[in-house]
Amino acid sequence: MNETAWQGYLRSDGRKGIRNIILVVYTVECASHVAHAIGRDEDDVHVIGFPGCYDNQYAIRMILALGRHPNIGAVLAVGLGCEYTQPAKIAQTVRESGRPADAFFIQENGGTKASIDRGKQTIARLRAEMNSQTQMVPMGWSDLVVGSECGGSDGTSGLAGNPVVGAFFDLLVDRGGSAIFEEIVEMIGLRHILDARAASPQARTQLLAAYDKAEHYCREVRQYSVAPGNFAGGLTTIEEKSMGAFAKSGSRPIQGVIRVAERPPHNGLWLLDSVPDPHFMQFGYTNPNDTEGIMDLICAGSQIILFVTGRGSVIGSAVSPLIKVTGNSITYNRMRDDMDFNAGRILTGNITLPAAAEELAALVQAVAAGQQSKPEALGHREYFLMYKHQDTPALDAGCRA
Amino acid sequence: MGSHPAASPPVAFQINAADNVATLLEPAMPGPVVVRGSAGEKQIVAEQAIEHGHKIAIATIAPGESIIKFGVVIGAATRAIQQGEWVHLHNCSSRLDERSNAFDVRTGVPEDVTYE
């Protein structure tokens, strides 16, 4: 089953990474310049951060999930010195996961230049520790978690781009791996289909509860995810648009619902719910931009992201390589440097859907084995962390307890 | 792919064998259209001009009958639809969105909100 294997980085929780990245985390926007300057010209350093001065449990959970992500080998947290979010607590939690980590405040370190110098020195030390500690082990499909997202969609996304990702998800799940999809607000109208795809009675309860919350949210904010441009382009109903997006999930049973910064309890296909829970104020839009959804998928442990774009988005992602799939051959040819996979060949009759899914699987495996995806090679490292509220009592004992 | 694109009929893509609509990959004029996809390939006749990305009925659909795409119901026919007809807001309605029939069929612009 798992005869295809490549080398991965073993972490203390048993998960395996496909990259060994040092993550620099800033804890307020005021520290972002220094954090980015520390990461400049360091190939194995990625930078993420949270812009707010006031902290937020949801954002803290995301930072900790990213700091202990299988693709991350070490962490440096950098703060200004007067914000709520605590760099030292982040570093402490990451150290407890067996990874080298450090933290400092810019105000206690003599300002911009001294902090950049200290950061560079710290990175060098963390890298040496990381490289001497990290164990390489064989890794296969069952160790892989892949997330899928779509954005900059056009008429081909529902016809070819999303279906090829769905067909690949079927292969991945059949080979023992894990697949995660999200964008539940683009599943409105598909309640009966979610119901029919539930792997167990418990999964059914979770799926229907997540669906009902999303539909309620759409009703509350009076917004369905369909617009005049969609109609003009040929989409007639929200059900039609939803189904085009839902095609990313493939056809296998859904094991249940996870929430942001939670990991799938076991392998298989999972739905990620990123819709805010009711709170004293309804802050936090569900999907303010594509990068936000991608970060949610990475926080769940996805080592690779498949991003479907018909019109041609150029984003990549920090922490996990992003593979760009387009169903539009014109977009593929126009943006060849950015696009990894042309699913438009399905529409021209040049390849069948199952054959395209096998080809995509080979590409995913190559990227898992170390080949850079197009956005990764171009240096795309987008990230986005925001204020939001979700009830996750089991996780609340984290950083601030 | 063809040596002279104007000579070959436009292609509509059928996603699922159960679908009664296909999506045009290029604009169609009244006349032959090739339907390609999971149910193999066949030729039908477009009754009217239909834009790229829009849907063509590949079967005759009765009033109230489901419009099927991706193998699932995406709406209901609000009147009889002949094979080869354009399927859109003028003859297909969402089962959820109450505003479904309140949009201009060409531009998609809502017509149920007044601007004085």
Side-chain angles (χ1 to χ4, degrees):
Chain A
M1 203 64 188
N2 218 353
E3 77 261 22
T4 343
W6 55 90
Q7 291 294 109
Y9 302 91
L10 181 65
R11 307 303 177 194
S12 64
D13 59 7
R15 289 190 291 172
K16 296 167 189 172
I18 63 164
R19 299 289 184 269
N20 208 21
I21 295 163
I22 302 166
L23 191 66
V24 174
V25 182
Y26 61 86
T27 47
V28 63
E29 188 62 23
C30 321
S32 67
H33 171 81
V34 166
H36 283 285
I38 292 168
R40 196 161 299 137
D41 301 323
E42 310 268 2
D43 285 344
D44 57 352
V45 174
H46 290 194
V47 179
I48 64 154
F50 180 66
C53 178
Y54 192 74
D55 59 358
N56 173 249
Q57 190 65 69
Y58 176 94
I60 297 287
R61 283 198 296 263
M62 287 186 76
I63 290 171
L64 296 180
L66 293 169
R68 295 175 295 183
H69 186 281
N71 288 351
I72 299 297
V75 170
L76 169 62
V78 180
L80 175 64
C82 36
E83 69 271 35
Y84 276 82
T85 303
Q86 294 300 305
K89 288 195 176 186
I90 294 169
Q92 177 60 30
T93 309
V94 170
R95 263 196 302 276
E96 284 163 11
S97 77
R99 292 167 174 83
D102 204 348
F104 64 83
F105 280 126
I106 294 166
Q107 286 169 348
E108 293 174 359
N109 199 61
T112 300
K113 193 169 183 315
S115 295
I116 295 168
D117 289 346
R118 176 167 169 179
K120 289 274 187 194
Q121 286 161 19
T122 308
I123 290 292
R125 177 171 52 77
L126 292 173
R127 182 182 293 122
E129 274 182 59
M130 175 178 86
N131 288 341
S132 70
Q133 286 177 12
T134 314
Q135 202 189 333
M136 300 285 294
V137 289
M139 180 176 178
W141 291 109
S142 63
D143 301 309
L144 208 55
V145 183
V146 178
S148 74
E149 182 87 10
C150 59
S153 299
D154 71 1
T156 66
S157 298
L159 296 178
N162 290 336
V164 77
V165 169
F168 164 72
F169 268 14
D170 286 357
L171 292 177
L172 176 62
V173 167
D174 293 347
R175 291 170 187 180
S178 296
I180 308 175
F181 65 108
E182 60 126 24
E183 297 170 291
I184 193 165
V185 291
E186 292 191 353
M187 289 169 210
I188 299 304
L190 307 181
R191 192 178 196 274
H192 57 294
I193 292 171
L194 285 171
D195 190 342
R197 290 272 300 276
S200 65
Q202 192 198 354
R204 175 167 297 118
T205 306
Q206 291 176 0
L207 285 167
L208 297 185
Y211 176 88
D212 290 341
K213 183 182 76 169
E215 201 190 82
H216 178 75
Y217 186 91
C218 288
R219 227 180 301 124
E220 288 280 299
V221 300
R222 297 182 177 188
Q223 207 176 77
Y224 290 97
S225 192
V226 64
N230 296 134
F231 298 130
L235 292 174
T236 306
T237 62
I238 178 68
E239 296 95 306
E240 181 180 9
K241 184 174 176 187
S242 292
M243 202 56 210
F246 187 66
K248 287 196 299 298
S249 72
S251 66
R252 297 300 182 256
I254 304 165
Q255 302 297 320
V257 177
I258 55 169
R259 330 199 78 206
V260 175
E262 284 180 349
R263 287 156 46 184
H266 58 260
N267 290 9
L269 176 67
W270 295 84
L271 172 61
L272 171 62
D273 170 20
S274 61
V275 177
D277 286 330
H279 196 49
F280 58 90
M281 55 185 282
Q282 270 287 13
F283 67 93
Y285 291 97
T286 57
N287 285 107
N289 57 45
D290 295 331
T291 297
E292 195 261 349
I294 289 163
M295 294 314 286
D296 293 346
L297 291 163
I298 294 173
C299 284
S302 305
Q303 297 112 325
I304 289 180
I305 298 296
L306 297 176
F307 185 72
V308 180
T309 177
R311 295 174 62 87
S313 166
V314 299
I315 59 167
S317 48
V319 179
S320 296
L322 182 145
I323 295 174
K324 200 85 53 69
V325 176
T326 183
N328 188 328
S329 295
I330 297 166
T331 300
Y332 181 80
N333 288 321
R334 195 177 46 214
M335 303 177 76
R336 252 200 148 98
D337 293 344
D338 290 273
M339 298 296 142
D340 290 286
F341 192 84
N342 180 14
R345 292 170 297 152
I346 298 165
L347 299 178
T348 48
N350 292 31
I351 191 169
T352 63
L353 179 61
E358 287 286 355
E359 210 181 278
L360 182 57
L363 176 61
V364 169
Q365 191 187 327
V367 169
Q371 178 185 310
Q372 288 200 318
S373 75
K374 295 264 179 88
E376 189 181 14
L378 287 167
H380 282 283
R381 304 285 185 266
E382 284 85 344
Y383 61 92
F384 188 79
L385 299 179
M386 63 182 279
Y387 289 106
K388 200 186 270 192
H389 173 80
Q390 272 194 335
D391 304 315
T392 42
L395 290 172
D396 280 348
C399 193
R400 284 171 54 172
Chain B
M1 290 186 300
S3 56
H4 196 271
S8 51
V11 175
F13 195 77
Q14 179 185 359
I15 299 163
N16 191 290
D19 294 353
N20 53 16
V21 292
T23 306
L24 280 155
L25 301 181
E26 51 210 316
M29 295 305 288
V33 168
V34 171
V35 179
R36 177 191 294 153
S38 51
E41 200 164 301
K42 66 172 176 177
Q43 193 160 310
I44 63 169
V45 176
E47 295 289 317
Q48 61 200 116
I50 307 174
E51 279 180 58
H52 165 236
H54 284 245
K55 293 176 290 301
I56 184 169
I58 56 175
T60 299
I61 304 164
E65 202 180 318
S66 295
I67 307 295
I68 313 275
K69 181 180 169 185
F70 306 99
V72 305
V73 178
I74 60 154
T78 51
R79 59 173 180 75
I81 303 171
Q82 301 305 313
Q83 187 190 66
E85 258 192 83
W86 177 32
V87 177
H88 200 35
L89 299 158
H90 60 296
N91 56 13
C92 171
S93 176
S94 168
R95 295 188 169 188
L96 277 152
D97 186 353
E98 67 276 12
R99 292 185 72 181
S100 185
N101 292 115
F103 305 102
D104 180 89
V105 72
R106 300 248 165 226
T107 63
V109 170
E111 292 171 327
D112 58 347
V113 173
T114 55
Y115 292 75
E116 293 179 359

